Amino acid sequence: DAPQTHQAYAWAPGSGPDAVAGLPALAQGTRLGPWSVDGPLGEGGMGRVMAAHRADGTFERDVAVKLLPAPTLPAVRERLLQEVRLMARLEHPHVVQLLDAGIHEERLIYIVMERVDGVPFTEATRHAPLDQRVRLFLQVLQAVSFLHDHLILHLDIKPDNPLVDSHGRVRLIDFGIGGDDDLGQVAHSVSWTRAAAGTSSPRRYSRACPAPR
């Protein structure tokens, strides 16, 4: 028998402008498990991001919450949550930490992440000396390499995606979720993330599945 190859795919449920437009607005004070929504932070091709805080009295923490349309296929929905749980176990100084996840009213999947106060990579490096630009870029590569080592592919790396925090440290944000070989059995029910124009490979523009690692 031929040896089985462990493959990495990167995916996101119902991505794209139509999916984001269809997301319900969450009012201030809406509870997502132990978290309470404070207001909008932004939105992108994969979903909407809200500011929130821990509201059950266990401890105090401000977070960012990404909202995604919940897949209707149960296998896809459970697989996404499983991959989020795996991501929450990963810790790296240049990758934003995932803290929690769940389903809200059967319509939304929410992913709770640490909130980073920072500026986009492009802004942080626009007038920086060359050695500082190189140092920050190497931090981006370290983050991407770490994700690849755990068979996770980032589907939307672009110049303004990494943030540089107040300590001068790169924090990679807004990555897709990657899985192993059996993810391919349900990936046909999931829309691929739409990368930013001008920053994607020909393979992504063709909407082809990422090659096995």
Side-chain angles (χ1 to χ4, degrees), residues 104-154:
H104 177 66
E105 297 182 346
E106 297 301 315
R107 296 182 299 167
L108 295 174
I109 286 180
Y110 63 90
I111 302 174
V112 182
M113 304 166 286
E114 62 176 311
R115 192 190 306 180
V116 177
D117 293 323
V119 297
F121 185 88
T122 47
E123 182 177 337
T125 57
R126 182 171 292 116
H127 302 296
L130 179 60
D131 59 341
Q132 183 177 343
R133 296 186 188 188
V134 171
R135 177 179 62 82
L136 293 174
F137 184 65
L138 289 176
Q139 292 181 12
V140 175
L141 297 183
Q142 291 169 14
V144 172
S145 178
F146 171 79
L147 294 176
H148 287 181
D149 286 343
H150 290 82
L151 295 181
I152 296 168
L153 304 180
H154 194 305

Side-chain angles (χ1 to χ4, degrees), residues 17-188:
D18 293 341
V20 175
L23 289 174
L26 296 185
Q28 183 177 356
T30 300
R31 290 293 291 265
L32 302 171
W35 311 95
S36 178
V37 171
D38 296 326
L41 282 178
E43 63 181 47
M46 285 183 63
R48 185 171 290 136
V49 181
M50 310 292 291
H53 67 276
R54 186 87 181 194
D56 63 353
T58 303
F59 56 85
E60 296 182 1
R61 181 158 191 172
D62 294 328
V63 296
V65 179
K66 173 169 285 188
L67 304 176
L68 305 171
T72 56
L73 189 65
V76 179
R77 179 183 301 193
E78 178 55 33
R79 184 63 188 195
L80 174 61
L81 291 176
Q82 178 181 344
E83 294 301 326
V84 169
R85 296 184 197 109
L86 292 175
M87 285 293 301
R89 300 177 186 175
L90 303 181
E91 294 186 25
H92 189 276
H94 303 306
V95 176
V96 167
Q97 178 74 33
L98 271 69
L99 304 172
D100 194 7
I103 298 177
H104 177 66
E105 297 182 346
E106 297 301 315
R107 296 182 299 167
L108 295 174
I109 286 180
Y110 63 90
I111 302 174
V112 182
M113 304 166 286
E114 62 176 311
R115 192 190 306 180
V116 177
D117 293 323
V119 297
F121 185 88
T122 47
E123 182 177 337
T125 57
R126 182 171 292 116
H127 302 296
L130 179 60
D131 59 341
Q132 183 177 343
R133 296 186 188 188
V134 171
R135 177 179 62 82
L136 293 174
F137 184 65
L138 289 176
Q139 292 181 12
V140 175
L141 297 183
Q142 291 169 14
V144 172
S145 178
F146 171 79
L147 294 176
H148 287 181
D149 286 343
H150 290 82
L151 295 181
I152 296 168
L153 304 180
H154 194 305
L155 281 188
D156 196 20
I157 293 180
K158 52 194 175 189
D160 60 352
N161 178 283
L163 295 179
V164 178
D165 65 21
S166 58
H167 302 288
R169 182 176 60 170
V170 164
R171 310 301 303 281
L172 191 59
I173 62 171
D174 204 23
F175 42 85
I177 308 285
D180 58 17
D181 188 31
D182 59 351
L183 178 58
Q185 299 176 18
V186 295
H188 65 276

